[in-house]
Amino acid sequence: MSMLSALRRPQLLIRAAQFGAREYRRDRHLQRLLGYGTLPRPAAAIMRLMEIERTLNDQRNSDDAGYALARHVDVLIAMMGEAELLRSARSEPAT
């Protein structure tokens, strides 16, 4: 979680992702980004998404022609959504 809070990205990217995170649906969004099959747990998903996001951010910073803004926002949305799921799971009392 501290790695997520340490990310420094342009405000426009963050605001777009925050807006999109309201409609985040794990089964639909995460499968599109990570591939179909069994979905990883939120913590593992966040780590994979952070790797993807790091690559996208490097492309953005280097003005790479292959950079896809929409994909970058999608990945940030998924990261925020998974972080919320992780926070929720940690705050639930054990039964």
Side-chain angles (χ1 to χ4, degrees):
M1 295 303 284
S2 63
M3 292 170 61
L4 279 175
S5 61
L7 284 179
R8 299 291 174 244
R9 300 299 181 255
Q11 187 64 27
L12 185 59
L13 273 176
I14 298 302
R15 301 254 318 159
Q18 287 171 335
F19 185 77
R22 296 177 196 161
E23 301 297 321
Y24 179 70
R25 300 292 175 263
R26 186 172 210 265
D27 57 334
R28 185 177 63 217
H29 291 100
L30 199 56
Q31 285 187 340
R32 185 181 60 215
L33 294 169
L34 300 182
Y36 291 93
T38 304
L39 294 176
R41 292 183 173 182
I46 289 172
M47 295 307 292
R48 289 178 58 192
L49 290 165
M50 288 186 73
E51 292 173 15
I52 295 167
E53 194 279 334
R54 188 176 310 117
T55 300
L56 289 166
N57 197 56
D58 289 345
Q59 288 178 333
R60 179 184 66 82
N61 285 327
S62 66
D63 294 324
D64 188 319
Y67 172 69
L69 175 62
R71 180 163 170 77
H72 200 168
V73 172
D74 279 346
V75 170
L76 289 169
I77 288 169
M79 287 170 61
M80 289 178 184
E82 292 297 311
E84 184 58 35
L85 290 172
L86 192 58
R87 274 191 290 275
S88 296
R90 288 184 177 174
S91 67
E92 291 178 2
T95 56

